[in-house]
Amino acid sequence: MSATADAAASPVSAAAGIRGVLRVTPFRRLWYSTFLSSLGDWLGLLATTALAASLATGYSQQSFALGGVLLVRLLPAMVLGPVAGVFADRFNRRYTMVISDLIRFALFLTIPLAHLVVSADRTLWWLYVVTFFIECVSLFWLPAKDASVPNLVRRDQIEAANQLGLITTYGITPVLGALLFAALARITDALAKHLSFFKANPTNLALYFNAATFLVGALVVYFIKEISGSRGRGAPGTQPTLRSLAREAGQFLRTSRLLRGLIIGISGAFAAGGAVIGAGRFFVSSLGGGDAAYGVLFGAVFVGLGLGMAFGPRFAREVSRRRLFGLSIVASGSCLALTAVMPLIWLAVIFVVLLGFGAGNGYLAAVTLLGTEIDDQIRGRVFAILQTLIRVVLILSLAVVPFLVGAIGTTDITIGALDITVDGTRIVLFAAGLLAMGTGVLAYRYMDDKHHVSIWVDLVTSLRGDSTARRRLHSGGVFVAFEGGEGSGKSTQIGLLAASLTEVGLPVRITREPGATALGEQIRALVLHREESISPRAEALLFAADRAHHVTTVIRPSLDAGCVVLTDRYVDSSLAYQGAGRDLTMDEVRRISRWATDNLRPDLTILLDIDVEIGLARATRSAQADKLEAESVAFHQRVRQAFRTLAESSPDRYLVLDASLPPEELARQILVQVQRLLPARPHSVGSSPTATGEGTVMA
């Protein structure tokens, strides 16, 4: 794993990350509430649109009734969105969510009750009024919920928590809501054969069930004591006014490049999304498809969204989320532009899935950035601003696109003997794709936090899982491990290499295992110089404990600071000495070491290979042998063979040298190999020192 990996990126799989956040009791309860609220929203959308259509007569009236329900669901955000965000930052978020759910429960309950006592026309108007107020209340619930998530989990769990929430909202509950609505409709049909009440009120059962989801959700949130307002705990006299909070949010908008990038990218993405929704039916017709094809194309968007939210982070795990957001928008825009020129429906569906994949990945990156980089005191307002922006952009896009399609009409293009008819939907969709690509590029430029690293190289190394290359790109640190049997001359070669690197001003950190830290010295004395014997498993664990502390306190900080770290022994010594020499399995030792080091691997491992007898004679010439040096020749033969096997299995990571060669020749070959790993510098290694200063050797 990269030493400088993005804070939001996780080294574990998506499934493991989701399991981890679900073990956090407060978050798990919030997820239950999110699930119920989202299920209620989707079920409510289906039930209210179905009711609106049933209350109107004639095709045109039914279309207007359905469109009216959708319109009033979007309009409140234009008025109350920013106010709701200020409210979420000013008042207790738990109470805000509970009261909002109770109000939504009561409002949804009035719809079927009104259907029982008033005429169809009045019921339709009441449906519009209630839907408007339900959306107003939802605007207060959403930022309170979103702003609470980062306070319930660790920082490294925020992406997994957002991932689960978005998959639930856009992947699981839409499907469950549709299935539940269908099931309730079948139950209603069955009951209508025996009870006239259900025949006259076919959607009421679904509406009652929908209201119940919000009542249960309110009860769940009420018992999540960990949710509260970031400012709500202060004394009443010291609490800021709503107006001052609004001014603070405006100031943040003007000064934050992150938020400006998010606003630009999200605006372009949802404008393109609105174009897909607004022109999708006409586009399918231009390809010769009907309602079924339109349903498939519409569903493909949600399939792509779900896949992007679930699996997108795995493909670009170590790419900065700031970069990933803009790249995802560009990718979605490219797919939309390609969709516009597809001649067949099935090809268009493929690119729509890819479009959704990019959009889902980008939206997850945006929500994660808001959770990790926006202070809790302003987070509710920022979430509300973006949610308002999304709704406003969608409204404008849905309103403008049909008129643009109609105004453009169809255009006949003649190229030689070929006559091509281009309809307005393709032109509008292609233009929307270009718009999304442009806003994605702008968002990337505003938010890019790795200007010195090529984005192409960044992506390639991430997709390859090459964490060592990514570390060198981002910090300049290089990690070299020296391995070999006793008396192979590792210390001598480390000293010669450090001197060469220091001559050109490179910072060098010399270290060793075990014993590089105070704790390591105690472990070294225990495993190498104490008289009592230690069992092989205990010995392996002690070496792993030293290594874990060594990596955390010495190696990683030095790499992050751009040092060249030279270590005398690392993981491969444990594999050779404890895995082969002690007859433990290498897989056991490897698992322990990977966990201890958080999978940090050297950029280069230099194996100084030497005949066992010669090496032992060197090692014992000037000092008393330690426990390992005093082992039998057969033990050291197994160790030497293990080192050779490891080198043969990873030739790209190893430099194997004959340690019996003169030290100067070995040093020359090592320097040549290490030089290839170093970042570009104005002076090559081996030249005279630079005029800007000397290097630093830290032991």
Side-chain angles (χ1 to χ4, degrees), residues 615-654:
L616 289 175
R618 286 183 180 179
T620 58
R621 188 177 302 161
S622 59
Q624 184 180 358
D626 60 33
K627 284 184 180 180
L628 292 180
E629 291 169 347
E631 290 287 348
S632 66
V633 173
F635 172 90
H636 289 286
Q637 292 285 11
R638 292 196 300 272
V639 169
R640 183 189 185 193
Q641 185 56 47
F643 275 129
R644 286 182 168 185
T645 301
L646 289 168
E648 290 171 358
S649 64
S650 302
D652 57 329
R653 189 169 62 88
Y654 264 90

mmCIF file of all heavy atoms in Angstrom, residues 615-654:
data_model
loop_
_atom_site.group_PDB
_atom_site.id
_atom_site.type_symbol
_atom_site.label_atom_id
_atom_site.label_comp_id
_atom_site.label_asym_id
_atom_site.label_seq_id
_atom_site.Cartn_x
_atom_site.Cartn_y
_atom_site.Cartn_z
ATOM 1 N N GLY A 615 30.774 -17.142 4.698
ATOM 2 C CA GLY A 615 30.027 -16.110 5.397
ATOM 3 C C GLY A 615 30.105 -16.252 6.901
ATOM 4 O O GLY A 615 30.291 -15.263 7.625
ATOM 5 N N LEU A 616 29.957 -17.483 7.405
ATOM 6 C CA LEU A 616 30.035 -17.690 8.847
ATOM 7 C C LEU A 616 31.419 -17.367 9.378
ATOM 8 O O LEU A 616 31.564 -16.830 10.482
ATOM 9 C CB LEU A 616 29.654 -19.131 9.186
ATOM 10 C CG LEU A 616 28.161 -19.483 9.013
ATOM 11 C CD1 LEU A 616 27.933 -20.971 9.249
ATOM 12 C CD2 LEU A 616 27.299 -18.659 9.954
ATOM 13 N N ALA A 617 32.457 -17.705 8.584
ATOM 14 C CA ALA A 617 33.831 -17.369 9.009
ATOM 15 C C ALA A 617 33.995 -15.862 9.119
ATOM 16 O O ALA A 617 34.629 -15.353 10.055
ATOM 17 C CB ALA A 617 34.828 -17.962 8.019
ATOM 18 N N ARG A 618 33.413 -15.107 8.176
ATOM 19 C CA ARG A 618 33.481 -13.641 8.246
ATOM 20 C C ARG A 618 32.742 -13.113 9.474
ATOM 21 O O ARG A 618 33.214 -12.219 10.173
ATOM 22 C CB ARG A 618 32.843 -13.023 6.998
ATOM 23 C CG ARG A 618 33.664 -13.122 5.733
ATOM 24 C CD ARG A 618 32.893 -12.379 4.645
ATOM 25 N NE ARG A 618 33.553 -12.386 3.356
ATOM 26 C CZ ARG A 618 33.050 -11.810 2.263
ATOM 27 N NH1 ARG A 618 31.862 -11.200 2.337
ATOM 28 N NH2 ARG A 618 33.701 -11.849 1.122
ATOM 29 N N ALA A 619 31.541 -13.672 9.727
ATOM 30 C CA ALA A 619 30.688 -13.152 10.785
ATOM 31 C C ALA A 619 31.287 -13.352 12.154
ATOM 32 O O ALA A 619 31.107 -12.517 13.058
ATOM 33 C CB ALA A 619 29.307 -13.802 10.713
ATOM 34 N N THR A 620 31.988 -14.450 12.370
ATOM 35 C CA THR A 620 32.512 -14.764 13.699
ATOM 36 C C THR A 620 33.947 -14.324 13.878
ATOM 37 O O THR A 620 34.546 -14.554 14.923
ATOM 38 C CB THR A 620 32.407 -16.277 13.952
ATOM 39 O OG1 THR A 620 33.134 -16.977 12.934
ATOM 40 C CG2 THR A 620 30.945 -16.716 13.929
ATOM 41 N N ARG A 621 34.540 -13.662 12.862
ATOM 42 C CA ARG A 621 35.950 -13.293 12.923
ATOM 43 C C ARG A 621 36.209 -12.214 13.964
ATOM 44 O O ARG A 621 37.227 -12.210 14.642
ATOM 45 C CB ARG A 621 36.399 -12.826 11.541
ATOM 46 C CG ARG A 621 37.900 -12.598 11.414
ATOM 47 C CD ARG A 621 38.228 -12.213 9.989
ATOM 48 N NE ARG A 621 37.792 -13.256 9.053
ATOM 49 C CZ ARG A 621 37.617 -13.047 7.751
ATOM 50 N NH1 ARG A 621 37.824 -11.844 7.247
ATOM 51 N NH2 ARG A 621 37.221 -14.024 6.972
ATOM 52 N N SER A 622 35.261 -11.262 14.086
ATOM 53 C CA SER A 622 35.533 -10.106 14.947
ATOM 54 C C SER A 622 34.583 -9.975 16.123
ATOM 55 O O SER A 622 34.713 -9.060 16.914
ATOM 56 C CB SER A 622 35.456 -8.814 14.118
ATOM 57 O OG SER A 622 34.178 -8.691 13.529
ATOM 58 N N ALA A 623 33.608 -10.848 16.236
ATOM 59 C CA ALA A 623 32.634 -10.713 17.322
ATOM 60 C C ALA A 623 32.098 -12.079 17.711
ATOM 61 O O ALA A 623 32.186 -13.039 16.940
ATOM 62 C CB ALA A 623 31.476 -9.805 16.892
ATOM 63 N N GLN A 624 31.536 -12.127 18.917
ATOM 64 C CA GLN A 624 30.935 -13.371 19.370
ATOM 65 C C GLN A 624 29.652 -13.625 18.603
ATOM 66 O O GLN A 624 28.867 -12.720 18.367
ATOM 67 C CB GLN A 624 30.644 -13.277 20.871
ATOM 68 C CG GLN A 624 30.110 -14.578 21.462
ATOM 69 C CD GLN A 624 29.836 -14.443 22.943
ATOM 70 O OE1 GLN A 624 30.081 -13.396 23.525
ATOM 71 N NE2 GLN A 624 29.335 -15.499 23.539
ATOM 72 N N ALA A 625 29.442 -14.845 18.215
ATOM 73 C CA ALA A 625 28.276 -15.177 17.404
ATOM 74 C C ALA A 625 26.997 -15.038 18.217
ATOM 75 O O ALA A 625 26.948 -15.384 19.397
ATOM 76 C CB ALA A 625 28.400 -16.605 16.870
ATOM 77 N N ASP A 626 25.922 -14.507 17.568
ATOM 78 C CA ASP A 626 24.619 -14.472 18.225
ATOM 79 C C ASP A 626 23.904 -15.797 17.990
ATOM 80 O O ASP A 626 24.470 -16.726 17.410
ATOM 81 C CB ASP A 626 23.794 -13.275 17.741
ATOM 82 C CG ASP A 626 23.540 -13.317 16.239
ATOM 83 O OD1 ASP A 626 23.401 -14.421 15.675
ATOM 84 O OD2 ASP A 626 23.477 -12.234 15.617
ATOM 85 N N LYS A 627 22.629 -15.856 18.419
ATOM 86 C CA LYS A 627 21.918 -17.127 18.344
ATOM 87 C C LYS A 627 21.803 -17.635 16.913
ATOM 88 O O LYS A 627 21.963 -18.827 16.644
ATOM 89 C CB LYS A 627 20.520 -16.973 18.949
ATOM 90 C CG LYS A 627 20.485 -16.928 20.459
ATOM 91 C CD LYS A 627 19.045 -16.864 20.928
ATOM 92 C CE LYS A 627 18.973 -16.820 22.446
ATOM 93 N NZ LYS A 627 17.567 -16.760 22.923
ATOM 94 N N LEU A 628 21.488 -16.749 15.992
ATOM 95 C CA LEU A 628 21.306 -17.180 14.606
ATOM 96 C C LEU A 628 22.633 -17.581 13.976
ATOM 97 O O LEU A 628 22.713 -18.563 13.230
ATOM 98 C CB LEU A 628 20.639 -16.067 13.796
ATOM 99 C CG LEU A 628 19.183 -15.757 14.164
ATOM 100 C CD1 LEU A 628 18.636 -14.627 13.295
ATOM 101 C CD2 LEU A 628 18.297 -16.992 14.022
ATOM 102 N N GLU A 629 23.678 -16.818 14.244
ATOM 103 C CA GLU A 629 24.984 -17.160 13.685
ATOM 104 C C GLU A 629 25.489 -18.491 14.234
ATOM 105 O O GLU A 629 26.246 -19.204 13.570
ATOM 106 C CB GLU A 629 25.988 -16.046 13.991
ATOM 107 C CG GLU A 629 25.698 -14.750 13.242
ATOM 108 C CD GLU A 629 26.535 -13.595 13.758
ATOM 109 O OE1 GLU A 629 27.146 -13.749 14.837
ATOM 110 O OE2 GLU A 629 26.564 -12.541 13.105
ATOM 111 N N ALA A 630 25.067 -18.818 15.459
ATOM 112 C CA ALA A 630 25.526 -20.055 16.092
ATOM 113 C C ALA A 630 24.745 -21.277 15.646
ATOM 114 O O ALA A 630 25.058 -22.399 16.067
ATOM 115 C CB ALA A 630 25.432 -19.908 17.615
ATOM 116 N N GLU A 631 23.724 -21.091 14.808
ATOM 117 C CA GLU A 631 22.972 -22.245 14.315
ATOM 118 C C GLU A 631 23.863 -23.125 13.445
ATOM 119 O O GLU A 631 24.932 -22.707 12.980
ATOM 120 C CB GLU A 631 21.752 -21.767 13.516
ATOM 121 C CG GLU A 631 20.658 -21.117 14.356
ATOM 122 C CD GLU A 631 19.887 -22.134 15.186
ATOM 123 O OE1 GLU A 631 20.050 -23.348 14.939
ATOM 124 O OE2 GLU A 631 19.137 -21.709 16.087
ATOM 125 N N SER A 632 23.361 -24.316 13.143
ATOM 126 C CA SER A 632 24.130 -25.293 12.375
ATOM 127 C C SER A 632 24.309 -24.852 10.932
ATOM 128 O O SER A 632 23.576 -23.989 10.431
ATOM 129 C CB SER A 632 23.414 -26.646 12.396
ATOM 130 O OG SER A 632 22.170 -26.543 11.706
ATOM 131 N N VAL A 633 25.298 -25.458 10.278
ATOM 132 C CA VAL A 633 25.522 -25.178 8.858
ATOM 133 C C VAL A 633 24.293 -25.557 8.042
ATOM 134 O O VAL A 633 23.917 -24.857 7.079
ATOM 135 C CB VAL A 633 26.770 -25.933 8.362
ATOM 136 C CG1 VAL A 633 26.909 -25.796 6.846
ATOM 137 C CG2 VAL A 633 28.022 -25.414 9.050
ATOM 138 N N ALA A 634 23.630 -26.653 8.419
ATOM 139 C CA ALA A 634 22.426 -27.078 7.694
ATOM 140 C C ALA A 634 21.342 -26.000 7.773
ATOM 141 O O ALA A 634 20.624 -25.735 6.789
ATOM 142 C CB ALA A 634 21.903 -28.392 8.273
ATOM 143 N N PHE A 635 21.214 -25.361 8.938
ATOM 144 C CA PHE A 635 20.257 -24.267 9.102
ATOM 145 C C PHE A 635 20.570 -23.143 8.120
ATOM 146 O O PHE A 635 19.696 -22.641 7.404
ATOM 147 C CB PHE A 635 20.320 -23.757 10.546
ATOM 148 C CG PHE A 635 19.519 -22.513 10.809
ATOM 149 C CD1 PHE A 635 18.205 -22.581 11.216
ATOM 150 C CD2 PHE A 635 20.099 -21.243 10.658
ATOM 151 C CE1 PHE A 635 17.469 -21.428 11.463
ATOM 152 C CE2 PHE A 635 19.382 -20.085 10.894
ATOM 153 C CZ PHE A 635 18.057 -20.177 11.302
ATOM 154 N N HIS A 636 21.802 -22.741 8.054
ATOM 155 C CA HIS A 636 22.194 -21.637 7.173
ATOM 156 C C HIS A 636 22.112 -22.021 5.701
ATOM 157 O O HIS A 636 21.869 -21.153 4.850
ATOM 158 C CB HIS A 636 23.601 -21.155 7.544
ATOM 159 C CG HIS A 636 23.647 -20.429 8.863
ATOM 160 N ND1 HIS A 636 23.163 -19.166 9.026
ATOM 161 C CD2 HIS A 636 24.112 -20.827 10.084
ATOM 162 C CE1 HIS A 636 23.323 -18.780 10.285
ATOM 163 N NE2 HIS A 636 23.911 -19.777 10.958
ATOM 164 N N GLN A 637 22.286 -23.294 5.398
ATOM 165 C CA GLN A 637 22.102 -23.746 4.018
ATOM 166 C C GLN A 637 20.636 -23.586 3.604
ATOM 167 O O GLN A 637 20.344 -23.169 2.482
ATOM 168 C CB GLN A 637 22.532 -25.218 3.871
ATOM 169 C CG GLN A 637 24.021 -25.467 4.030
ATOM 170 C CD GLN A 637 24.821 -25.025 2.804
ATOM 171 O OE1 GLN A 637 24.318 -24.348 1.914
ATOM 172 N NE2 GLN A 637 26.109 -25.398 2.793
ATOM 173 N N ARG A 638 19.715 -23.928 4.522
ATOM 174 C CA ARG A 638 18.286 -23.755 4.218
ATOM 175 C C ARG A 638 17.958 -22.272 4.029
ATOM 176 O O ARG A 638 17.169 -21.901 3.156
ATOM 177 C CB ARG A 638 17.430 -24.346 5.340
ATOM 178 C CG ARG A 638 17.496 -25.849 5.455
ATOM 179 C CD ARG A 638 16.352 -26.395 6.295
ATOM 180 N NE ARG A 638 16.349 -25.884 7.653
ATOM 181 C CZ ARG A 638 17.004 -26.432 8.676
ATOM 182 N NH1 ARG A 638 17.755 -27.524 8.463
ATOM 183 N NH2 ARG A 638 16.939 -25.909 9.893
ATOM 184 N N VAL A 639 18.573 -21.434 4.865
ATOM 185 C CA VAL A 639 18.343 -19.992 4.744
ATOM 186 C C VAL A 639 18.825 -19.478 3.395
ATOM 187 O O VAL A 639 18.125 -18.722 2.701
ATOM 188 C CB VAL A 639 19.046 -19.241 5.893
ATOM 189 C CG1 VAL A 639 19.041 -17.735 5.629
ATOM 190 C CG2 VAL A 639 18.373 -19.544 7.217
ATOM 191 N N ARG A 640 20.019 -19.882 2.989
ATOM 192 C CA ARG A 640 20.570 -19.422 1.712
ATOM 193 C C ARG A 640 19.687 -19.871 0.550
ATOM 194 O O ARG A 640 19.404 -19.089 -0.370
ATOM 195 C CB ARG A 640 21.990 -19.963 1.528
ATOM 196 C CG ARG A 640 22.655 -19.454 0.253
ATOM 197 C CD ARG A 640 23.962 -20.162 -0.024
ATOM 198 N NE ARG A 640 24.642 -19.567 -1.179
ATOM 199 C CZ ARG A 640 25.670 -20.136 -1.804
ATOM 200 N NH1 ARG A 640 26.161 -21.308 -1.386
ATOM 201 N NH2 ARG A 640 26.222 -19.529 -2.852
ATOM 202 N N GLN A 641 19.232 -21.123 0.592
ATOM 203 C CA GLN A 641 18.380 -21.622 -0.488
ATOM 204 C C GLN A 641 17.042 -20.876 -0.522
ATOM 205 O O GLN A 641 16.492 -20.606 -1.591
ATOM 206 C CB GLN A 641 18.136 -23.130 -0.315
ATOM 207 C CG GLN A 641 17.355 -23.767 -1.451
ATOM 208 C CD GLN A 641 18.016 -23.539 -2.802
ATOM 209 O OE1 GLN A 641 19.235 -23.719 -2.958
ATOM 210 N NE2 GLN A 641 17.223 -23.132 -3.793
ATOM 211 N N ALA A 642 16.532 -20.522 0.665
ATOM 212 C CA ALA A 642 15.267 -19.775 0.718
ATOM 213 C C ALA A 642 15.425 -18.405 0.075
ATOM 214 O O ALA A 642 14.552 -17.948 -0.678
ATOM 215 C CB ALA A 642 14.806 -19.634 2.164
ATOM 216 N N PHE A 643 16.524 -17.715 0.381
ATOM 217 C CA PHE A 643 16.776 -16.416 -0.255
ATOM 218 C C PHE A 643 16.827 -16.559 -1.778
ATOM 219 O O PHE A 643 16.248 -15.742 -2.511
ATOM 220 C CB PHE A 643 18.094 -15.826 0.252
ATOM 221 C CG PHE A 643 17.981 -15.052 1.533
ATOM 222 C CD1 PHE A 643 18.820 -15.323 2.607
ATOM 223 C CD2 PHE A 643 17.041 -14.036 1.669
ATOM 224 C CE1 PHE A 643 18.728 -14.604 3.789
ATOM 225 C CE2 PHE A 643 16.937 -13.305 2.851
ATOM 226 C CZ PHE A 643 17.778 -13.597 3.912
ATOM 227 N N ARG A 644 17.505 -17.564 -2.266
ATOM 228 C CA ARG A 644 17.618 -17.775 -3.719
ATOM 229 C C ARG A 644 16.248 -18.043 -4.333
ATOM 230 O O ARG A 644 15.930 -17.538 -5.416
ATOM 231 C CB ARG A 644 18.563 -18.948 -3.994
ATOM 232 C CG ARG A 644 20.042 -18.637 -3.773
ATOM 233 C CD ARG A 644 20.878 -19.845 -4.116
ATOM 234 N NE ARG A 644 22.295 -19.520 -4.197
ATOM 235 C CZ ARG A 644 23.242 -20.386 -4.582
ATOM 236 N NH1 ARG A 644 22.908 -21.621 -4.906
ATOM 237 N NH2 ARG A 644 24.512 -20.010 -4.631
ATOM 238 N N THR A 645 15.433 -18.833 -3.651
ATOM 239 C CA THR A 645 14.095 -19.145 -4.164
ATOM 240 C C THR A 645 13.239 -17.886 -4.235
ATOM 241 O O THR A 645 12.506 -17.662 -5.209
ATOM 242 C CB THR A 645 13.419 -20.187 -3.265
ATOM 243 O OG1 THR A 645 14.223 -21.378 -3.238
ATOM 244 C CG2 THR A 645 12.023 -20.524 -3.780
ATOM 245 N N LEU A 646 13.324 -17.061 -3.205
ATOM 246 C CA LEU A 646 12.566 -15.809 -3.207
ATOM 247 C C LEU A 646 13.002 -14.905 -4.348
ATOM 248 O O LEU A 646 12.172 -14.274 -5.021
ATOM 249 C CB LEU A 646 12.756 -15.080 -1.873
ATOM 250 C CG LEU A 646 12.082 -15.709 -0.648
ATOM 251 C CD1 LEU A 646 12.582 -15.054 0.635
ATOM 252 C CD2 LEU A 646 10.561 -15.583 -0.744
ATOM 253 N N ALA A 647 14.303 -14.827 -4.590
ATOM 254 C CA ALA A 647 14.808 -13.990 -5.680
ATOM 255 C C ALA A 647 14.363 -14.508 -7.035
ATOM 256 O O ALA A 647 14.006 -13.730 -7.931
ATOM 257 C CB ALA A 647 16.331 -13.929 -5.607
ATOM 258 N N GLU A 648 14.367 -15.829 -7.205
ATOM 259 C CA GLU A 648 13.945 -16.410 -8.487
ATOM 260 C C GLU A 648 12.458 -16.180 -8.742
ATOM 261 O O GLU A 648 12.033 -16.046 -9.896
ATOM 262 C CB GLU A 648 14.257 -17.908 -8.490
ATOM 263 C CG GLU A 648 15.753 -18.225 -8.545
ATOM 264 C CD GLU A 648 16.037 -19.707 -8.316
ATOM 265 O OE1 GLU A 648 15.060 -20.458 -8.079
ATOM 266 O OE2 GLU A 648 17.224 -20.096 -8.336
ATOM 267 N N SER A 649 11.668 -16.122 -7.677
ATOM 268 C CA SER A 649 10.221 -15.934 -7.850
ATOM 269 C C SER A 649 9.856 -14.483 -8.148
ATOM 270 O O SER A 649 8.759 -14.206 -8.632
ATOM 271 C CB SER A 649 9.479 -16.399 -6.594
ATOM 272 O OG SER A 649 9.832 -15.598 -5.479
ATOM 273 N N SER A 650 10.746 -13.530 -7.825
ATOM 274 C CA SER A 650 10.479 -12.103 -8.090
ATOM 275 C C SER A 650 11.716 -11.446 -8.694
ATOM 276 O O SER A 650 12.327 -10.561 -8.079
ATOM 277 C CB SER A 650 10.079 -11.386 -6.796
ATOM 278 O OG SER A 650 8.959 -11.966 -6.195
ATOM 279 N N PRO A 651 12.097 -11.837 -9.901
ATOM 280 C CA PRO A 651 13.334 -11.293 -10.481
ATOM 281 C C PRO A 651 13.288 -9.791 -10.727
ATOM 282 O O PRO A 651 14.330 -9.125 -10.741
ATOM 283 C CB PRO A 651 13.467 -12.071 -11.798
ATOM 284 C CG PRO A 651 12.077 -12.535 -12.109
ATOM 285 C CD PRO A 651 11.420 -12.785 -10.796
ATOM 286 N N ASP A 652 12.079 -9.215 -10.908
ATOM 287 C CA ASP A 652 11.981 -7.784 -11.159
ATOM 288 C C ASP A 652 12.211 -6.964 -9.892
ATOM 289 O O ASP A 652 12.467 -5.761 -9.959
ATOM 290 C CB ASP A 652 10.607 -7.442 -11.739
ATOM 291 C CG ASP A 652 9.471 -7.886 -10.825
ATOM 292 O OD1 ASP A 652 9.648 -8.909 -10.120
ATOM 293 O OD2 ASP A 652 8.413 -7.227 -10.812
ATOM 294 N N ARG A 653 12.122 -7.598 -8.738
ATOM 295 C CA ARG A 653 12.272 -6.890 -7.468
ATOM 296 C C ARG A 653 13.633 -7.139 -6.825
ATOM 297 O O ARG A 653 14.011 -6.445 -5.886
ATOM 298 C CB ARG A 653 11.149 -7.327 -6.513
ATOM 299 C CG ARG A 653 11.049 -6.518 -5.236
ATOM 300 C CD ARG A 653 9.769 -6.826 -4.476
ATOM 301 N NE ARG A 653 9.683 -8.206 -4.043
ATOM 302 C CZ ARG A 653 10.179 -8.666 -2.888
ATOM 303 N NH1 ARG A 653 10.833 -7.854 -2.071
ATOM 304 N NH2 ARG A 653 10.026 -9.922 -2.548
ATOM 305 N N TYR A 654 14.365 -8.109 -7.313
ATOM 306 C CA TYR A 654 15.626 -8.516 -6.698
ATOM 307 C C TYR A 654 16.821 -8.156 -7.565
ATOM 308 O O TYR A 654 16.744 -8.193 -8.805
ATOM 309 C CB TYR A 654 15.642 -10.034 -6.484
ATOM 310 C CG TYR A 654 15.236 -10.486 -5.097
ATOM 311 C CD1 TYR A 654 13.913 -10.755 -4.795
ATOM 312 C CD2 TYR A 654 16.186 -10.639 -4.093
ATOM 313 C CE1 TYR A 654 13.540 -11.182 -3.534
ATOM 314 C CE2 TYR A 654 15.829 -11.067 -2.829
ATOM 315 C CZ TYR A 654 14.512 -11.337 -2.551
ATOM 316 O OH TYR A 654 14.154 -11.757 -1.300
#
